[in-house]
Amino acid sequence: MNVGHIRVAGRCERVAPVLARIGDKWAVLVVVLLADGPVRFNELKRRIGVISQRMLTFTLRGLERDGLVTRTVFASVPPKVEYALTPLGQSLLEPISHLSRLGRRARRRDGSRTEGLRWRDARRRGGGRMTPTRPRRSPTTGRSGSRYSRRPSA
């Protein structure tokens, strides 16, 4: 079986489509935010903070297509749209909480966050994308710092 660009064999074939659906960057966060009840689109966008409108729409459409989220449109001006978890989406909350606990335990035991890189929180910096705090090394010189700071002479 092929899931996206990954070839999956054996008993993992049953799990691969589920991981492909909820394994993206935003799907699990959206499911967790919908756990407390129906939420309007702009409220979801506000709670997440760093997601684009296009990406949130794409994520919600995928979750709706897979039966994890319902979309309710109310006839008003402007149109009011609410998203809520289906019973199938609610059933994902328990495994997500187990993964969260596993991650917290691993972080406490390990003492690091992401394989040696410490990521700055985008909200703490006032928006923008998340970037590693360790300076990049130049592929040509092996030095750290901006790759544009020193140019080789021609």
Side-chain angles (χ1 to χ4, degrees), residues 12 27 40 52 88 91 106 113 115 117 119-120 132 134 138 145:
C12 295
R40 293 179 69 173
S52 68
L88 181 62
S91 70
R113 287 182 71 182
E115 300 174 7
L117 286 178
W119 294 88
R120 295 185 196 135
R134 185 180 347 166
S138 165

Side-chain angles (χ1 to χ4, degrees), residues 98-117:
H98 288 298
L99 287 172
S100 176
R101 278 194 299 258
L102 177 68
R104 282 194 303 268
R105 275 192 234 131
R107 189 178 300 156
R108 267 187 262 129
R109 184 187 72 235
D110 197 13
S112 67
R113 287 182 71 182
T114 313
E115 300 174 7
L117 286 178

Side-chain angles (χ1 to χ4, degrees), residues 41-143:
F41 181 88
N42 283 331
E43 179 61 24
L44 265 177
K45 189 172 181 323
R46 200 172 308 119
R47 286 184 188 177
I48 296 172
V50 293
I51 190 170
S52 68
Q53 183 170 339
R54 181 178 184 271
M55 193 67 227
L56 181 56
T57 301
F58 181 76
T59 301
L60 286 166
R61 282 183 185 160
L63 292 170
E64 183 183 9
R65 182 189 65 236
D66 294 338
L68 300 172
V69 170
T70 58
R71 179 178 188 259
T72 307
V73 180
F74 297 95
S76 64
V77 178
K80 179 181 173 184
V81 179
E82 284 186 345
Y83 294 90
L85 289 178
T86 63
L88 181 62
Q90 291 279 345
S91 70
L92 272 178
L93 293 174
E94 186 178 350
I96 289 172
S97 70
H98 288 298
L99 287 172
S100 176
R101 278 194 299 258
L102 177 68
R104 282 194 303 268
R105 275 192 234 131
R107 189 178 300 156
R108 267 187 262 129
R109 184 187 72 235
D110 197 13
S112 67
R113 287 182 71 182
T114 313
E115 300 174 7
L117 286 178
R118 292 175 295 150
W119 294 88
R120 295 185 196 135
D121 187 327
R123 288 184 185 164
R124 189 174 44 192
R125 286 192 352 242
R129 63 179 190 195
M130 294 166 58
T131 57
T133 58
R134 185 180 347 166
R136 296 176 65 173
R137 294 206 175 268
S138 165
T140 54
T141 64
R143 296 183 194 168

